[in-house]
Amino acid sequence: MIYLFLIILNCLILFYYSFIEKKLNIYDYPSENKIHAKKVPLLGGLIFIANIATYLIFLKFFHNKLSINIFGFSSNINDFVFIASIVFLFFLGLVDDIKNLSATVRLVLLIAIISLNLFLNSELNISYIKLSFFNNFSIENYSFFWTLICFLLFINAFNFFDGINLQSSGLIFIICIFFFIKNIFVDFFIVIMIANILFSYLNYKSRTFLGNSGSFFLPFLFGALFISAYNNDVSISADEIVILMLIPGIDLIRLFFLRLLKKTSPFKGDKNHIHHLLLKKYSSLVVVVTIQFLIWFPFSILQIFGTFYIALFIQLFTYMFLILRYKN
């Protein structure tokens, strides 16, 4: 029943989208580091938070199931803190979309909210490394700092990857498929999938971008669910998650050091992302997105079935080939 209601909700959002867009008046405007030629609403995060909030309210008041079954945590207080953090990060991103906060302010607040969750919820700490090709080993003494770094890298990689239409929605689809194959948090990711269908359509039509309201709280949410599943399920290994995020991750690292070498802020946007390089050769966004997902998606899924070295080699080799081929 809830899924039918969410489909109706998304149809209403689509029907009244122009009205919502004008009322909220939150836009991303063209600039020298951006490829769009007209202002575009930053309402993607709103689509996801509306679907998630509706789902959680439905479970709480109609099924009384807002507990361990949703996020894999062992106490309701952990659920509450986690949900409050998601809401906070949504509004932080919304303020950033409107006011354009400094990178320092964003980073400090992100560290604060992630640290709060790690202090209060030990189930979000990565205390050991579990690999499919090696024996498990403990990092108990460094679990807090390692987990904090993983969250920050994941959030920034997701944010960096949200550079052209359909990229972030494609990544979200892949994350959903990962959890479907693993049969973990399936009900919740059906909700994410429903929201992502509407977002993908509007994003393809250049009628919305995800915005920081989405690119802050969504990777925090996905990262927490990855860790929760990782800590509670023996079938998930760290290398699977690495392969899943490999292309966004290595693009983040490459750009970070490239900007430092150029003596510019590593947080300042530019047009050196892999998708920008491909756009210089191929003018079609669909072609560029298709190329990236053809070298990424099949091998991310294959890795789930135990082909880590093959997936790692092919993705790294293809990424480096594209960078060297189109960097000029």
Side-chain angles (χ1 to χ4, degrees):
M1 177 180 175
I2 181 59
Y3 302 128
L4 177 60
F5 184 81
L6 288 175
I7 291 171
I8 295 172
L9 171 65
N10 282 276
C11 289
L12 289 173
I13 292 174
L14 180 60
F15 185 79
Y16 290 104
Y17 185 76
S18 295
F19 173 79
I20 296 172
E21 168 194 335
K22 292 175 182 177
K23 281 294 181 182
L24 294 179
N25 192 34
I26 304 174
Y27 293 98
D28 187 36
Y29 292 89
S31 70
E32 61 179 355
N33 290 324
K34 299 175 182 178
I35 61 174
H36 56 284
K38 62 179 183 179
K39 65 178 184 180
V40 178
L42 295 168
L43 301 182
L46 181 64
I47 292 172
F48 284 98
I49 202 72
N51 279 266
I52 293 170
T54 303
Y55 176 68
L56 295 179
I57 291 170
F58 178 86
L59 290 183
K60 178 62 178 178
F61 292 102
F62 293 94
H63 284 268
N64 196 29
K65 289 184 178 179
L66 191 52
S67 62
I68 187 173
N69 298 322
I70 306 303
F71 304 118
F73 305 145
S74 59
S75 71
N76 288 336
I77 186 64
N78 289 341
D79 282 333
F80 175 79
V81 172
F82 181 61
I83 293 170
S85 299
I86 290 172
V87 174
F88 176 84
L89 289 177
F90 167 75
F91 282 106
L92 172 63
L94 197 65
V95 171
D96 190 30
D97 286 334
I98 298 171
K99 300 291 186 179
N100 194 22
L101 301 175
S102 71
T104 302
V105 170
R106 294 197 302 265
L107 181 61
V108 168
L109 290 175
L110 280 173
I111 290 175
I113 200 69
I114 294 168
S115 298
L116 175 65
N117 279 266
L118 297 184
F119 274 123
L120 297 178
N121 186 358
S122 61
E123 293 166 291
L124 278 180
N125 285 271
I126 304 171
S127 58
Y128 65 99
I129 302 298
K130 181 172 54 177
L131 302 170
S132 63
F133 54 88
F134 197 75
N135 295 331
N136 298 349
F137 58 93
S138 173
I139 54 168
E140 190 78 37
N141 295 332
Y142 312 100
S143 62
F144 174 85
F145 295 103
W146 174 248
T147 309
L148 177 62
I149 290 170
C150 288
F151 264 113
L152 291 174
L153 287 174
F154 190 84
I155 292 171
N156 279 282
F158 191 100
N159 197 303
F160 273 46
F161 200 64
D162 181 32
I164 59 174
N165 293 356
L166 299 179
Q167 278 209 151
S168 57
S169 61
L171 175 56
I172 293 168
F173 275 127
I174 290 176
I175 292 173
C176 289
I177 291 170
F178 176 88
F179 280 99
F180 290 156
I181 292 174
K182 292 294 186 178
N183 196 30
I184 303 171
F185 303 128
V186 172
D187 291 345
F188 184 78
F189 276 97
I190 291 175
V191 175
I192 298 297
M193 186 73 84
I194 291 172
N196 199 35
I197 290 172
L198 174 60
F199 169 65
S200 298
Y201 172 76
L202 292 171
N203 186 231
Y204 174 71
K205 296 287 188 180
S206 292
R207 295 187 63 191
T208 191
F209 290 158
L210 187 60
N212 286 333
S213 62
S215 61
F216 283 178
F217 94 84
L218 280 175
F220 172 76
L221 168 64
F222 296 150
L225 293 180
F226 272 126
I227 295 171
S228 177
Y230 176 85
N231 286 337
N232 290 289
D233 194 294
V234 295
S235 68
I236 294 180
S237 58
D239 46 288
E240 289 179 317
I241 301 172
V242 168
I243 291 295
L244 195 68
M245 291 297 296
L246 186 62
I247 299 299
I250 59 177
D251 207 42
L252 167 69
I253 295 170
R254 179 182 66 86
L255 289 171
F256 182 87
F257 286 104
L258 182 63
R259 290 168 183 173
L260 289 179
L261 288 173
K262 292 183 176 181
K263 298 182 179 180
T264 61
S265 170
F267 303 105
K268 185 178 180 180
D270 56 33
K271 291 185 177 180
N272 290 315
H273 295 255
I274 185 173
H275 49 263
H276 290 130
L277 301 181
L278 289 172
L279 277 171
K280 294 177 182 179
K281 176 67 176 179
Y282 309 100
S283 58
S284 170
L285 291 176
V286 175
V287 171
V288 170
V289 172
T290 301
I291 290 173
Q292 291 187 88
F293 279 94
L294 281 177
I295 67 170
W296 176 31
F297 173 69
F299 303 104
S300 297
I301 299 302
L302 281 174
Q303 156 58 13
I304 298 174
F305 302 102
T307 58
F308 173 73
Y309 291 112
I310 296 175
L312 179 65
F313 173 77
I314 292 177
Q315 289 198 43
L316 285 176
F317 176 82
T318 311
Y319 176 85
M320 293 307 301
F321 171 80
L322 292 174
I323 293 298
L324 294 173
R325 176 68 176 82
Y326 298 118
K327 66 176 181 177
N328 294 322

